[in-house]
Each structure stands twice: as C-alpha cells, then as structure tokens.
Amino acid sequence: MTALVLALLVPWVAGGLLVALDGRRAAVAWAGVAVLAADLVALAVLAARVLPDGQVTVATGGWPAGVGIVLRADALGVTFAILSVLVLLASAAAACARPRERTFPGLVVLLAAGLDGIFLTGDVFNFYVFFELAMTASYVLTASGGTRRQMRAALVFAAVNLLGSFIFLLSIAGTYRTTGSLAMADVAARAADVEPNAALLTATGFFVAFAVKVGIFPFHFWLPTVYAGARPAVAAILSGAVANIGSYGLLRFGAGIFPEQLALGAPVLIVLGAASIVYGAVLAISRGDAAEMLAYSAIGQVGYVLVALGVGGPVGLAAAVLYSIVNALNKTVLFLGVGLRGALVAASFAVGALSVAGVPPAAGFIGKLALFRTGVAAGSWALVLLFVLGSALSLVYLFQVYQRDFWRGDRSGSPSPLPLRALTAGAALVVLVLGLWPQPLLAAGDAASAALTGGWG
C-alpha cells in the first residue's frame, strides 16, 4: 500500500515544486531525473508485490468504497506504469542537452504523475482527471523550443486531443447514467445488464477517445505533425510513454470493462488495425526525414496492438500487452537517436530497427512471435501474412533511413556528446537484453492478460 501511494505522491509533490524552479539550471534538471528514478523504485516495489498477489487496492482518506478515491494496482496497470522508465531516459537525455525552458523538468515529472495515476486508478472519473494532467503537460512540452514548427505541433496536438477528451467525458457521463457508478469494478459488473445499444454507444465513445490518443488509422492525422515537429526527447516521451495511454485504455476499457462490446466490434478492430499497419508502413517508406519516417511508423506499429486486441482471448490479450511494451521501447530508442551522430548511435539505431522489423535477437522478435501465435490461434493465415508483410515493409523503410543517415554520411562529422550517445545505447541494450532473456516480457504479458480476463475480485 505504501508503494502505491508513494508512486503517485512523490512525482505529484516534486513536480509542483520543480515547476516553480528554474529548470534551465543543471541541478534542477537532474533533480527531476532523480525524482523519476525514485518513482521508478516505488513502482518496482509495487510490482514485486502485485505480480505474485494479484492486486493492491487502497481507498484514500479512509472513505468507504464508492465514495473515496480508489487506487488499484494490478498486473496490467503496473506493467504499463513501469514503462515510466522511458520518461526517465528521455528526461536524462534532455538534462544532458540542458533544457532551454525553465518549466521543462517539472512538467516531465508532472506528466509522469499523470501517467502513474492513469495506470493505478480504479475509478473512471479519476482516470479522466489524471488523463487531463498528463495531456496538459504534454501540450506544453510539445511547444518546448518555441520554434514555429513546434508551436504548430503543440496547437495541433492540443486541438485534436481536446476533442478526444470531450468524447471521453461524454462516455463517462454515459457510463454513470447507465450503470450508476464510476468505480471500474462496479461498471464492469453492471455493464452486462445495461441496455445493449446504450452500452455499445458508450463503449464506442471510449474507443474513439483512445483511438485518437494512440493515433490509429483513420484517427492518425495529428500524429505525424506532432511527432516530427517535437524535439527528440519530447517525441520519445510522447511516442514511448504518453501513447501508452491509448493502448492501456483500449485494453482496460475494452477487455476489462466492456468485453461483450469488444467482441461485437472485433472485426472492426482487426480491419482498422490491418489498415494502420499497411498505411503507416507505406507512408513511412515515402519519407526522407528520420523523424517523419518514425512518426508514420508509429501509426503502423500500433495497428499490431489493435489486431491482437480484436482477436482477443488469453493469447491475443497477452500479445497486445507484450507488443505495447516492445513498441514503446523501440520508439524510445529510435526517437532518442534522431539527429545524433557517432558509431554508437548507428549501432543503437540498428538495434531499434531490427526490433521494429521483428529480427532476432532484439525484443521485437518476441513481440512478433506472440503476434504470429495470435494469428494461428485465430485460425487466420491472412493475419500471419499481414504480420509478415508489415515486418518486411518495416525493414525496408528503416534500412532506407539507416543507409541515408549512417552509410552515406548525412550524419557525418564529430560524434554527439557522449552522455546522449550512452543513453541511446542504454535503451538499445534493454531491447537486446529482453530479446535474449524474454521471460520478463512473457510473464508480464501473461499476468496482464490474466488480470483482464480474471475479473475484478
């Protein structure tokens, strides 16, 4: 219980303090990194308790259930919360480059607080509150740098995600109107008794809100502008950590709260996921800039998660969780390396590229293997061929960028600062280690799947 409270309280309080300080000072920037590291330790302690025992639930303030704020940590939430390590890596990269905005370190810590709250709450409305905290910090971070391109990216990001937030809020209202509760456990228990059309409409609203957040085709139109326009460290945070809100939301609200509606919409999810895979890969091949290529690649990669979610069942849900983790790691490695020079960066980019394409020994191979199992379990060789096609196209567009940037000398010249290269290499090393020792990934996927299918008890 203490670890659960600390995981939320530490970044919340520290973020408020750091925002008031001058983040352009090295000491303040590294203090933000230290806070994120402490938060990661609390999450690791929480994970060590949750994974064996199943879940930890706390009603804050001593209020009775249904009145107080309910914090709930299960295998799915803890797995996604642990990915805050990606925010830590990106924050360290920004500290090495010396932030040019005084509020940058504090905003990153507040963003981490919002993400922790999203993944560790048991209440739909509190999910929305933490969601807005994370989104507000993301808007400001996207504009960091102050260039015209970054301001445009922030404006697009804010406008589109405010629309998603509005749809999400309407769905919350519909949930309370039909079930009489906002506690996730109660909503899940009562959803089966709700009038079918009302339940389907509410579930569709949640799907659209999260589809906008994660950038699934055809809700993707904002994503290339934002990811390509943001600074590399910010793009790594947005694509590697913030985008997980969409993946987590689809899993939690789909398989966890509205499983019947998810089953009804499964063919639509598979079609949209397949379209995202092909569309994102084809557009990525046509891009010459590394950041733009990665932005369109992100559209395609999330399609795999959607297809696995549409297939469903223990195998499909485990694959969706596992690939969400691998995809977040891959995007962080690749976005952190954007614009950097040196042989270490080239090697790190190669690891990330191989992982995206699903080539061993990178962790992406484990993710693609889980997807292939999903296709076989569904009895659909068309899905297996789709995954093969998507992997082949991924290898093509990533090899194009690697050839242009590192073989032809577009990133020639003096190597980038060693700390930045070392951080990128460290993230790539994690991808390699998880590919060579996949047990933690497989265990996380299975435990999260069991948390979704095992009920709320």
Side-chain angles (χ1 to χ4, degrees), residues 388-430:
V388 172
L389 174 63
S391 298
L393 292 175
S394 300
L395 193 60
V396 170
Y397 62 69
L398 287 163
F399 180 76
Q400 283 181 341
V401 171
Y402 187 87
Q403 183 183 46
R404 181 176 57 253
D405 283 12
F406 297 106
W407 283 6
R408 295 180 181 175
D410 286 4
R411 295 202 202 182
S412 60
S414 301
S416 300
L418 180 59
L420 291 175
R421 289 182 285 141
L423 281 170
T424 305
L429 183 61
V430 172

Short mmCIF file of all heavy atoms in Angstrom, two decimals, residues 388-430:
data_model
loop_
_atom_site.label_atom_id
_atom_site.label_comp_id
_atom_site.label_asym_id
_atom_site.label_seq_id
_atom_site.Cartn_x
_atom_site.Cartn_y
_atom_site.Cartn_z
N VAL A 388 3.74 -10.66 -41.51
CA VAL A 388 4.98 -10.84 -42.29
C VAL A 388 5.18 -9.65 -43.22
O VAL A 388 6.29 -9.09 -43.33
CB VAL A 388 4.94 -12.15 -43.08
CG1 VAL A 388 6.13 -12.23 -44.04
CG2 VAL A 388 4.94 -13.35 -42.14
N LEU A 389 4.10 -9.23 -43.90
CA LEU A 389 4.18 -8.09 -44.81
C LEU A 389 4.58 -6.82 -44.06
O LEU A 389 5.45 -6.06 -44.51
CB LEU A 389 2.84 -7.89 -45.51
CG LEU A 389 2.71 -6.63 -46.39
CD1 LEU A 389 3.70 -6.69 -47.55
CD2 LEU A 389 1.28 -6.48 -46.89
N GLY A 390 3.93 -6.59 -42.91
CA GLY A 390 4.26 -5.41 -42.13
C GLY A 390 5.71 -5.40 -41.67
O GLY A 390 6.38 -4.36 -41.70
N SER A 391 6.22 -6.56 -41.27
CA SER A 391 7.62 -6.65 -40.84
C SER A 391 8.57 -6.38 -41.99
O SER A 391 9.59 -5.68 -41.83
CB SER A 391 7.89 -8.04 -40.25
OG SER A 391 7.10 -8.28 -39.12
N ALA A 392 8.25 -6.91 -43.17
CA ALA A 392 9.10 -6.68 -44.35
C ALA A 392 9.13 -5.21 -44.73
O ALA A 392 10.19 -4.65 -45.02
CB ALA A 392 8.60 -7.53 -45.51
N LEU A 393 7.96 -4.56 -44.72
CA LEU A 393 7.92 -3.13 -45.05
C LEU A 393 8.67 -2.31 -44.01
O LEU A 393 9.33 -1.32 -44.34
CB LEU A 393 6.46 -2.67 -45.13
CG LEU A 393 5.64 -3.23 -46.31
CD1 LEU A 393 4.19 -2.79 -46.20
CD2 LEU A 393 6.23 -2.76 -47.64
N SER A 394 8.58 -2.72 -42.73
CA SER A 394 9.32 -2.01 -41.68
C SER A 394 10.82 -2.07 -41.94
O SER A 394 11.54 -1.06 -41.78
CB SER A 394 9.00 -2.62 -40.31
OG SER A 394 7.64 -2.55 -40.01
N LEU A 395 11.29 -3.23 -42.33
CA LEU A 395 12.72 -3.38 -42.60
C LEU A 395 13.14 -2.49 -43.76
O LEU A 395 14.24 -1.91 -43.75
CB LEU A 395 13.03 -4.85 -42.90
CG LEU A 395 14.51 -5.25 -42.91
CD1 LEU A 395 15.13 -4.97 -41.55
CD2 LEU A 395 14.65 -6.72 -43.27
N VAL A 396 12.26 -2.34 -44.76
CA VAL A 396 12.58 -1.52 -45.93
C VAL A 396 12.74 -0.06 -45.54
O VAL A 396 13.76 0.58 -45.84
CB VAL A 396 11.49 -1.67 -47.01
CG1 VAL A 396 11.69 -0.62 -48.12
CG2 VAL A 396 11.53 -3.07 -47.62
N TYR A 397 11.74 0.51 -44.85
CA TYR A 397 11.85 1.96 -44.58
C TYR A 397 12.91 2.29 -43.53
O TYR A 397 13.55 3.34 -43.59
CB TYR A 397 10.49 2.57 -44.23
CG TYR A 397 9.78 2.09 -42.99
CD1 TYR A 397 10.24 2.37 -41.70
CD2 TYR A 397 8.56 1.40 -43.11
CE1 TYR A 397 9.56 1.95 -40.59
CE2 TYR A 397 7.86 0.98 -41.99
CZ TYR A 397 8.35 1.26 -40.73
OH TYR A 397 7.66 0.85 -39.62
N LEU A 398 13.13 1.39 -42.59
CA LEU A 398 14.19 1.64 -41.61
C LEU A 398 15.58 1.49 -42.24
O LEU A 398 16.50 2.25 -41.91
CB LEU A 398 14.04 0.70 -40.42
CG LEU A 398 12.86 1.03 -39.49
CD1 LEU A 398 12.51 -0.14 -38.61
CD2 LEU A 398 13.19 2.25 -38.64
N PHE A 399 15.74 0.53 -43.15
CA PHE A 399 17.02 0.37 -43.83
C PHE A 399 17.29 1.58 -44.72
O PHE A 399 18.44 2.02 -44.84
CB PHE A 399 17.02 -0.91 -44.67
CG PHE A 399 18.30 -1.15 -45.40
CD1 PHE A 399 19.43 -1.61 -44.73
CD2 PHE A 399 18.40 -0.90 -46.77
CE1 PHE A 399 20.62 -1.82 -45.40
CE2 PHE A 399 19.60 -1.10 -47.45
CZ PHE A 399 20.71 -1.57 -46.76
N GLN A 400 16.25 2.14 -45.33
CA GLN A 400 16.44 3.34 -46.15
C GLN A 400 17.03 4.48 -45.32
O GLN A 400 17.99 5.14 -45.75
CB GLN A 400 15.10 3.78 -46.74
CG GLN A 400 14.62 2.95 -47.91
CD GLN A 400 13.30 3.47 -48.46
OE1 GLN A 400 12.58 4.20 -47.77
NE2 GLN A 400 12.97 3.10 -49.67
N VAL A 401 16.44 4.72 -44.16
CA VAL A 401 16.93 5.80 -43.30
C VAL A 401 18.33 5.50 -42.79
O VAL A 401 19.21 6.38 -42.76
CB VAL A 401 15.95 6.04 -42.13
CG1 VAL A 401 16.55 7.00 -41.11
CG2 VAL A 401 14.63 6.56 -42.64
N TYR A 402 18.58 4.26 -42.40
CA TYR A 402 19.90 3.90 -41.91
C TYR A 402 20.95 4.10 -43.00
O TYR A 402 22.04 4.64 -42.75
CB TYR A 402 19.90 2.44 -41.43
CG TYR A 402 21.18 2.03 -40.76
CD1 TYR A 402 21.37 2.24 -39.41
CD2 TYR A 402 22.22 1.45 -41.49
CE1 TYR A 402 22.54 1.87 -38.78
CE2 TYR A 402 23.41 1.07 -40.88
CZ TYR A 402 23.56 1.29 -39.52
OH TYR A 402 24.74 0.94 -38.91
N GLN A 403 20.62 3.69 -44.20
CA GLN A 403 21.56 3.83 -45.31
C GLN A 403 21.85 5.30 -45.60
O GLN A 403 23.00 5.69 -45.80
CB GLN A 403 20.98 3.15 -46.56
CG GLN A 403 21.91 3.18 -47.77
CD GLN A 403 21.26 2.56 -48.99
OE1 GLN A 403 20.10 2.86 -49.29
NE2 GLN A 403 21.97 1.69 -49.68
N ARG A 404 20.79 6.10 -45.62
CA ARG A 404 20.97 7.52 -45.95
C ARG A 404 21.70 8.27 -44.84
O ARG A 404 22.59 9.10 -45.11
CB ARG A 404 19.60 8.17 -46.18
CG ARG A 404 19.67 9.65 -46.55
CD ARG A 404 18.31 10.21 -46.86
NE ARG A 404 17.36 10.03 -45.76
CZ ARG A 404 16.36 9.16 -45.77
NH1 ARG A 404 16.19 8.37 -46.82
NH2 ARG A 404 15.55 9.06 -44.74
N ASP A 405 21.35 7.98 -43.57
CA ASP A 405 21.92 8.76 -42.47
C ASP A 405 23.30 8.29 -42.04
O ASP A 405 24.16 9.11 -41.69
CB ASP A 405 20.98 8.70 -41.26
CG ASP A 405 19.78 9.60 -41.43
OD1 ASP A 405 19.55 10.09 -42.54
OD2 ASP A 405 19.05 9.81 -40.44
N PHE A 406 23.53 6.97 -42.05
CA PHE A 406 24.77 6.46 -41.47
C PHE A 406 25.75 5.88 -42.49
O PHE A 406 26.94 5.81 -42.21
CB PHE A 406 24.44 5.39 -40.42
CG PHE A 406 23.65 5.91 -39.27
CD1 PHE A 406 22.30 5.61 -39.13
CD2 PHE A 406 24.24 6.72 -38.30
CE1 PHE A 406 21.56 6.09 -38.07
CE2 PHE A 406 23.51 7.21 -37.23
CZ PHE A 406 22.17 6.89 -37.12
N TRP A 407 25.26 5.46 -43.64
CA TRP A 407 26.17 4.95 -44.66
C TRP A 407 26.63 6.04 -45.61
O TRP A 407 27.79 6.07 -46.03
CB TRP A 407 25.50 3.82 -45.46
CG TRP A 407 25.46 2.52 -44.72
CD1 TRP A 407 25.84 2.30 -43.43
CD2 TRP A 407 25.01 1.27 -45.23
NE1 TRP A 407 25.64 0.99 -43.09
CE2 TRP A 407 25.14 0.32 -44.18
CE3 TRP A 407 24.50 0.84 -46.46
CZ2 TRP A 407 24.79 -1.00 -44.33
CZ3 TRP A 407 24.15 -0.48 -46.61
CH2 TRP A 407 24.29 -1.40 -45.56
N ARG A 408 25.73 6.92 -45.98
CA ARG A 408 26.08 7.97 -46.95
C ARG A 408 26.62 9.22 -46.29
O ARG A 408 26.96 10.18 -46.98
CB ARG A 408 24.85 8.31 -47.79
CG ARG A 408 24.37 7.17 -48.67
CD ARG A 408 23.16 7.58 -49.47
NE ARG A 408 22.69 6.49 -50.32
CZ ARG A 408 21.59 6.54 -51.05
NH1 ARG A 408 20.85 7.65 -51.05
NH2 ARG A 408 21.22 5.51 -51.79
N GLY A 409 26.63 9.24 -44.98
CA GLY A 409 27.31 10.34 -44.29
C GLY A 409 26.47 11.55 -43.99
O GLY A 409 27.02 12.60 -43.67
N ASP A 410 25.12 11.45 -44.06
CA ASP A 410 24.31 12.60 -43.70
C ASP A 410 24.46 12.96 -42.22
O ASP A 410 24.14 14.06 -41.81
CB ASP A 410 22.82 12.32 -44.00
CG ASP A 410 22.53 12.37 -45.50
OD1 ASP A 410 23.51 12.53 -46.25
OD2 ASP A 410 21.37 12.24 -45.90
N ARG A 411 24.91 12.02 -41.42
CA ARG A 411 25.19 12.31 -40.01
C ARG A 411 26.69 12.21 -39.75
O ARG A 411 27.13 11.73 -38.70
CB ARG A 411 24.43 11.33 -39.10
CG ARG A 411 22.93 11.46 -39.17
CD ARG A 411 22.29 10.88 -37.92
NE ARG A 411 20.91 10.52 -38.14
CZ ARG A 411 20.10 10.02 -37.21
NH1 ARG A 411 20.57 9.81 -35.99
NH2 ARG A 411 18.85 9.70 -37.48
N SER A 412 27.45 12.61 -40.74
CA SER A 412 28.91 12.60 -40.59
C SER A 412 29.34 13.80 -39.75
O SER A 412 28.56 14.70 -39.48
CB SER A 412 29.58 12.65 -41.97
OG SER A 412 29.20 13.83 -42.65
N GLY A 413 30.58 13.81 -39.37
CA GLY A 413 31.10 14.88 -38.54
C GLY A 413 31.43 14.38 -37.15
O GLY A 413 31.48 13.18 -36.89
N SER A 414 31.67 15.31 -36.25
CA SER A 414 32.04 14.94 -34.88
C SER A 414 30.89 14.23 -34.19
O SER A 414 29.73 14.59 -34.36
CB SER A 414 32.42 16.20 -34.09
OG SER A 414 33.50 16.86 -34.71
N PRO A 415 31.20 13.18 -33.40
CA PRO A 415 30.15 12.47 -32.67
C PRO A 415 29.41 13.40 -31.70
O PRO A 415 29.97 14.39 -31.21
CB PRO A 415 30.91 11.38 -31.91
CG PRO A 415 32.19 11.22 -32.66
CD PRO A 415 32.52 12.57 -33.19
N SER A 416 28.17 13.08 -31.43
CA SER A 416 27.38 13.83 -30.45
C SER A 416 27.96 13.63 -29.07
O SER A 416 28.77 12.72 -28.85
CB SER A 416 25.93 13.36 -30.50
OG SER A 416 25.39 13.56 -31.79
N PRO A 417 27.58 14.47 -28.09
CA PRO A 417 28.10 14.30 -26.73
C PRO A 417 27.92 12.88 -26.22
O PRO A 417 26.88 12.25 -26.44
CB PRO A 417 27.28 15.31 -25.92
CG PRO A 417 26.91 16.37 -26.91
CD PRO A 417 26.71 15.66 -28.21
N LEU A 418 28.92 12.39 -25.52
CA LEU A 418 28.92 11.00 -25.05
C LEU A 418 27.72 10.66 -24.18
O LEU A 418 27.15 9.57 -24.34
CB LEU A 418 30.23 10.71 -24.29
CG LEU A 418 30.37 9.29 -23.73
CD1 LEU A 418 30.29 8.26 -24.85
CD2 LEU A 418 31.67 9.16 -22.95
N PRO A 419 27.28 11.52 -23.24
CA PRO A 419 26.11 11.15 -22.42
C PRO A 419 24.87 10.86 -23.26
O PRO A 419 24.12 9.92 -22.95
CB PRO A 419 25.91 12.37 -21.52
CG PRO A 419 27.26 12.99 -21.42
CD PRO A 419 27.87 12.79 -22.77
N LEU A 420 24.63 11.64 -24.30
CA LEU A 420 23.47 11.41 -25.16
C LEU A 420 23.60 10.09 -25.91
O LEU A 420 22.65 9.32 -26.03
CB LEU A 420 23.30 12.56 -26.15
CG LEU A 420 22.88 13.91 -25.55
CD1 LEU A 420 22.87 14.99 -26.63
CD2 LEU A 420 21.50 13.79 -24.91
N ARG A 421 24.81 9.83 -26.41
CA ARG A 421 25.02 8.55 -27.12
C ARG A 421 24.89 7.38 -26.16
O ARG A 421 24.35 6.33 -26.51
CB ARG A 421 26.41 8.56 -27.77
CG ARG A 421 26.53 9.50 -28.97
CD ARG A 421 27.90 9.41 -29.61
NE ARG A 421 28.90 10.09 -28.80
CZ ARG A 421 30.14 9.67 -28.61
NH1 ARG A 421 30.55 8.53 -29.15
NH2 ARG A 421 30.99 10.36 -27.88
N ALA A 422 25.37 7.55 -24.94
CA ALA A 422 25.32 6.47 -23.96
C ALA A 422 23.88 6.16 -23.55
O ALA A 422 23.51 4.99 -23.38
CB ALA A 422 26.14 6.84 -22.72
N LEU A 423 23.03 7.19 -23.41
CA LEU A 423 21.64 6.96 -23.06
C LEU A 423 20.91 6.20 -24.16
O LEU A 423 20.13 5.28 -23.90
CB LEU A 423 20.94 8.30 -22.80
CG LEU A 423 21.19 8.95 -21.45
CD1 LEU A 423 20.65 10.36 -21.42
CD2 LEU A 423 20.53 8.12 -20.34
N THR A 424 21.16 6.59 -25.41
CA THR A 424 20.55 5.89 -26.53
C THR A 424 21.02 4.45 -26.58
O THR A 424 20.22 3.52 -26.80
CB THR A 424 20.91 6.60 -27.85
OG1 THR A 424 20.52 7.98 -27.77
CG2 THR A 424 20.18 5.97 -29.03
N ALA A 425 22.30 4.25 -26.36
CA ALA A 425 22.85 2.89 -26.34
C ALA A 425 22.28 2.08 -25.18
O ALA A 425 22.03 0.87 -25.31
CB ALA A 425 24.37 2.94 -26.26
N GLY A 426 22.05 2.74 -24.03
CA GLY A 426 21.47 2.04 -22.89
C GLY A 426 20.06 1.54 -23.19
O GLY A 426 19.70 0.41 -22.83
N ALA A 427 19.27 2.40 -23.85
CA ALA A 427 17.92 1.97 -24.23
C ALA A 427 17.97 0.82 -25.22
O ALA A 427 17.19 -0.14 -25.14
CB ALA A 427 17.16 3.15 -24.83
N ALA A 428 18.92 0.89 -26.18
CA ALA A 428 19.07 -0.20 -27.15
C ALA A 428 19.52 -1.49 -26.46
O ALA A 428 19.10 -2.59 -26.85
CB ALA A 428 20.09 0.21 -28.22
N LEU A 429 20.35 -1.35 -25.42
CA LEU A 429 20.80 -2.53 -24.68
C LEU A 429 19.63 -3.23 -23.99
O LEU A 429 19.57 -4.47 -23.94
CB LEU A 429 21.86 -2.12 -23.66
CG LEU A 429 22.49 -3.25 -22.84
CD1 LEU A 429 23.22 -4.25 -23.75
CD2 LEU A 429 23.46 -2.68 -21.79
N VAL A 430 18.70 -2.44 -23.47
CA VAL A 430 17.50 -3.03 -22.85
C VAL A 430 16.72 -3.85 -23.87
O VAL A 430 16.25 -4.96 -23.58
CB VAL A 430 16.61 -1.92 -22.26
CG1 VAL A 430 15.26 -2.50 -21.79
CG2 VAL A 430 17.30 -1.23 -21.10
#
